[in-house]
Amino acid sequence: MKDINGKVIWIIGCSSGIGFALAKELSELGAILILSARRENKLEDLNNNLGGNHLVCPVDVESHKSLINAVNIIKEIYPNIDSAIFLPAIYLPHDGNKKDIKIIHKMLSVNIGGAFNMVDVLLPIFEKQKFGQIILCASVAGYRGLPMGQPYCASKAAIISYAESLKTELEHKNIDVKVINPGFVRTPLTDKNDFPMPMIIEPDIAAKAIIRGIKSRVFEIHFPKKFTYIMKILHILPAPLYFFIMRIIQKFIKK
Ligand SMILES: NC(=O)c1ccc[n+]([C@@H]2O[C@H](COP(=O)([O-])OP(=O)(O)OC[C@H]3O[C@@H](n4cnc5c(N)ncnc54)[C@H](OP(=O)(O)O)[C@@H]3O)[C@@H](O)[C@H]2O)c1
C-alpha cells in the first residue's frame, strides 16, 4: 500500500499502546479508520481526539461472533476494507514457576485464537473484493523460547508461523500479508515488567516504523533495528550455543 490517504484501515487493539499511537499517525496521513478493542470509552475518546470522523467498533477478538457483528456493521458503511491490523495480546510476566492454567489458556485464546477469528471473518471479504492486506502483530519474543517467556513466546511464535502460512496461501489472490515483530515499546503491556528493557522505544516511534512497513513490500516489519538484529542473531544460533547464552542471561536476571 503506497498511499495511506483515503484507505479504509481496521485497527484491532487501538484503545492503548502501539495501536493507539498507530491510529493517530494513520489518521494524520488521511486514512479512514475503524477503531476496535473492547473498551468503547477509550475508542470514543481516541476518535474525538482525531476529529470524530472514524468508526468506533468495539470487539472482543476471543469471540468469533463479536467479529462477525463488527464486520456486518463495517460492510454497511464501507464497500471495501483495504487493510486490517491485528494487535490484541495479553502478556503477563512469567517467573518460570507454575502458572494458573486458566490464565495460560486465556493468553493463547486472545493472542492466537483472536488472530484466527479475525482472519476467518475477513477472508471472504478480501476474496470478494479481490484485494486486501492482513497485518498480524507478533514479537521478537516469538523468534525463540526466551526464559520467563512462556506462554507469551509460544503465542508469538505461532503468530509468525501463521502469518508465513497465510502469505504463501494468499499472495496469488492479491492479499498482502505482513507480520510486525517489535522489540520493547513503552506501553501498558510492558509497564508490568520489572526487568531492564534494552533499547525500549516510545509508541509513536513504533507507529512510524509500522507505517513505513505498511507502505513497503516487506513481509516482516521489525524495530528498533539495533535490537531486532541482535534477536535475529539469537534466532539463527545452533541450539547448544543458544541455551548456553540463555543460562548466562538467566543468572543475570536472577541477581
Ligand atoms: N509493547 C511492547 O514492548 C511489545 C513488544 C512486542 C510485541 N508487542 C505486541 O504489540 C501488540 C500491542 O501491544 P501493546 O504493547 O500496545 O499493548 P497494550 O497497550 O496492552 O494494547 C493491547 C490492545 O489490545 C486490546 N485487546 C486486548 N484484549 C483484547 C480482546 N480480547 N479483544 C479486543 N481487543 C483486545 C486492548 O484493548 P482493550 O483492553 O480495550 O480490549 C489494547 O487496545 C501486542 O500484540 C503485543 O504482543 C508489544
Side-chain angles (χ1 to χ4, degrees):
M1 185 188 294
K2 283 194 182 128
D3 192 9
I4 302 286
N5 189 26
K7 295 290 186 315
V8 175
I9 303 180
W10 188 9
I11 315 178
I12 307 185
C14 61
S15 58
S16 65
I18 297 171
F20 187 88
L22 186 59
K24 285 187 167 177
E25 298 285 337
L26 286 170
S27 179
E28 269 176 34
L29 293 172
I32 300 157
L33 300 176
I34 301 146
L35 306 169
S36 291
R38 288 166 305 176
R39 287 169 295 172
E40 190 171 0
N41 59 334
K42 297 270 178 195
L43 299 174
E44 291 290 359
D45 288 350
L46 173 62
N47 191 25
N48 291 337
N49 218 283
L50 302 179
N53 296 323
H54 303 291
L55 175 66
V56 167
C57 192
V59 296
D60 181 346
V61 296
E62 265 196 289
S63 157
H64 189 247
K65 196 163 173 252
S66 166
L67 283 158
I68 291 176
N69 291 342
V71 154
N72 287 337
I73 293 167
I74 296 166
K75 277 197 302 196
E76 293 274 306
I77 300 168
Y78 302 113
N80 294 315
I81 301 170
D82 293 287
S83 178
I85 307 171
F86 180 88
L87 294 152
I90 296 181
Y91 161 77
L92 290 173
H94 198 288
D95 59 7
N97 293 317
K98 195 172 182 310
K99 277 279 169 297
D100 185 345
I101 195 70
K102 280 191 192 149
I103 294 173
I104 292 175
H105 280 297
K106 177 90 181 162
M107 284 174 75
L108 298 177
S109 170
V110 173
N111 301 10
I112 308 175
F116 276 86
N117 282 339
M118 181 196 85
V119 172
D120 185 71
V121 300
L122 266 177
L123 264 188
I125 295 173
F126 283 179
E127 283 173 349
K128 194 170 169 207
Q129 68 188 26
K130 295 191 168 56
F131 66 88
Q133 184 179 58
I134 296 170
I135 305 182
L136 303 181
C137 187
S139 166
V140 294
Y143 287 171
R144 289 207 91 146
L146 297 167
M148 323 300 175
Q150 53 148 327
Y152 183 75
C153 288
S155 73
K156 294 303 180 180
I159 291 295
I160 295 170
S161 166
Y162 183 34
E164 285 175 353
S165 295
L166 283 174
K167 181 168 175 64
T168 60
E169 291 164 15
L170 298 178
E171 57 190 354
H172 73 282
K173 293 184 178 174
N174 198 25
I175 299 171
D176 180 31
V177 179
K178 296 184 189 296
V179 68
I180 307 172
N181 288 325
F184 289 112
V185 184
R186 202 180 314 279
T187 69
L189 185 139
T190 46
D191 286 347
K192 300 165 200 151
N193 288 339
D194 60 359
F195 53 81
M197 291 182 274
M199 298 177 218
I200 189 163
I201 58 170
E202 298 303 321
D204 60 317
I205 304 293
K208 287 188 173 80
I210 293 171
I211 290 171
R212 278 196 298 278
I214 292 176
K215 290 162 93 176
S216 79
R217 294 171 63 91
V218 297
F219 166 67
E220 185 194 8
I221 303 170
H222 63 100
F223 53 82
K225 291 279 193 306
K226 276 185 194 156
F227 183 68
T228 53
Y229 279 125
I230 294 170
M231 297 303 286
K232 281 179 181 297
I233 292 169
L234 284 181
H235 186 38
I236 55 169
L237 287 181
L241 184 54
Y242 173 70
F243 290 123
F244 174 74
I245 294 171
M246 286 307 114
R247 271 178 223 121
I248 296 171
I249 289 178
Q250 266 177 301
K251 274 185 198 153
F252 172 75
I253 293 172
K254 280 174 189 165
K255 265 184 193 168

